[in-house]
Amino acid sequence: MQHHSACAPPACGRAMIRLRNLCLTVGGAANGGRGRIVLDQANCDIPQGGFRWLLGPSGAGKSTLLRALQLAHPPERGTLEVLGADPAHAGRRATARLRRRIGAVHQDYRLLPELSVFDNVALPLRLDGMAERSIREEVDAILSWLRISPLRDRSPRYLSGGEQQRTAIARALVKRPGLLLADEPTNALDETESLRLVRLFEELSGLGTTVVIATHNPALPRLVPARALVLDGRGQMVESAP
Ligand SMILES: Nc1ncnc2c1ncn2[C@@H]1O[C@H](COP(=O)(O)OP(=O)(O)OP(=O)(O)O)[C@@H](O)[C@H]1O
């Protein structure tokens, strides 16, 4: 991989993610400490349909940056635009609408154990007010694609790690998000499933979804060569060519 000192401008089209002098800290005032700088004046543009790996050693801040992109971790300073909007200047309703256009796969899946696999995946569509009949079609299609249809009535509580991970992925994808953020989305999957999944993410980016996938598995970016955002753990982020 060839490294550049700064992130390249978007190849074409409008930036769906735009960072300008973005500073992110963790464990600050809320924890009574001084906080730790995860990103120090980072700049980056990702165009619509862009695909980026998010790389860096454990603890470098990949999950924190994904949380910020999901509008769940406010920046300390600088500008963060997501899906063409700046949440710092959007009202609560506009921010909630923006969040609904983001699909996120968390490292710990965050499935609701009291709901079935089907209902977990249906949740974002129900929150959007979609008709039940359309929900059934959409959910069944994505469960089938991820090969978890036989699990549709089970509680996530009794699923394997890989099955839970695929359920979380189905929930992130079912609403056809404009931005897909995934934190180690293949760490519980075997090689064949991992390859299918990253190919799906690649396909989605070809269809216009902006995709950011965090991983510390060096094998993964080799499956789909794409630009990478690399965090060094000391606040710096560089963008590397595929
Ligand atoms: N709420 C918090 N309070 C204090 N420190 C935190 C908090 N959340 C994260 N951190 C610290 O911030 C740093 C970045 O964590 P983060 O989870 O973003 O890293 P990561 O690159 O995703 O790591 P991994 O690859 O292990 O998942 C780590 O040093 C972590 O210990």
Side-chain angles (χ1 to χ4, degrees):
M1 278 187 186
Q2 187 193 339
H3 281 187
H4 303 284
S5 59
C7 290
C12 60
R14 201 155 64 110
M16 286 291 108
I17 290 178
R18 188 165 177 271
L19 315 185
R20 286 293 175 275
N21 301 318
L22 188 78
C23 300
L24 293 178
T25 58
V26 289
N31 291 334
R34 288 174 55 209
R36 175 177 179 278
I37 295 170
V38 162
L39 266 191
D40 187 11
Q41 308 216 37
N43 292 291
C44 176
D45 284 293
I46 308 179
Q48 179 174 14
F51 187 117
R52 296 290 183 276
W53 295 106
L54 178 55
L55 308 177
S58 182
K62 302 181 293 296
S63 303
T64 306
L65 176 54
L66 287 182
R67 273 199 299 278
L69 296 176
Q70 211 197 333
L71 318 183
H73 185 104
E76 185 84 3
R77 276 197 312 281
T79 305
L80 166 69
E81 285 178 19
V82 174
L83 292 169
D86 180 349
H89 297 110
R92 269 179 51 198
R93 278 185 169 197
T95 304
R97 269 200 304 278
L98 204 53
R99 271 206 193 100
R100 285 210 290 274
R101 294 172 56 208
I102 301 171
V105 183
H106 299 276
Q107 233 172 338
D108 55 359
Y109 316 140
R110 301 201 190 163
L111 298 169
L112 301 174
E114 65 276 15
L115 298 183
S116 65
V117 164
F118 182 94
D119 287 334
N120 266 280
V121 176
L123 200 59
L125 302 181
R126 291 200 170 118
L127 290 173
D128 274 351
M130 187 184 268
E132 275 303 312
R133 201 178 148 164
S134 308
I135 289 179
R136 255 200 314 279
E137 278 172 23
E138 297 288 334
V139 173
D140 282 338
I142 192 84
L143 294 184
S144 160
W145 200 92
L146 287 162
R147 304 182 202 205
I148 47 176
S149 302
L151 310 174
R152 84 195 282 287
D153 299 320
R154 303 253 304 267
S155 158
R157 196 181 280 134
Y158 304 112
L159 302 183
S160 74
E163 291 165 344
Q164 289 185 44
Q165 190 154 41
R166 279 179 285 162
T167 305
I169 291 163
R171 185 181 55 187
L173 295 182
V174 75
K175 60 185 172 182
R176 303 173 194 213
L179 171 62
L180 177 69
L181 305 170
D183 202 351
E184 304 282 358
T186 63
N187 61 356
L189 304 182
D190 62 29
E191 213 175 307
T192 311
E193 282 298 335
S194 300
L195 182 59
R196 274 187 92 227
L197 191 73
V198 290
R199 291 248 184 282
L200 170 68
F201 290 165
E202 190 185 24
E203 209 176 295
L204 289 172
S205 88
L207 292 170
T209 299
T210 305
V211 177
V212 182
I213 304 179
T215 183
H216 53 229
N217 175 0
L220 220 49
R222 286 200 283 272
L223 298 176
V224 174
R227 301 184 77 90
L229 303 172
V230 187
L231 303 182
D232 71 352
R234 293 186 303 277
Q236 299 307 305
M237 180 173 82
V238 295
E239 186 164 354
S240 71

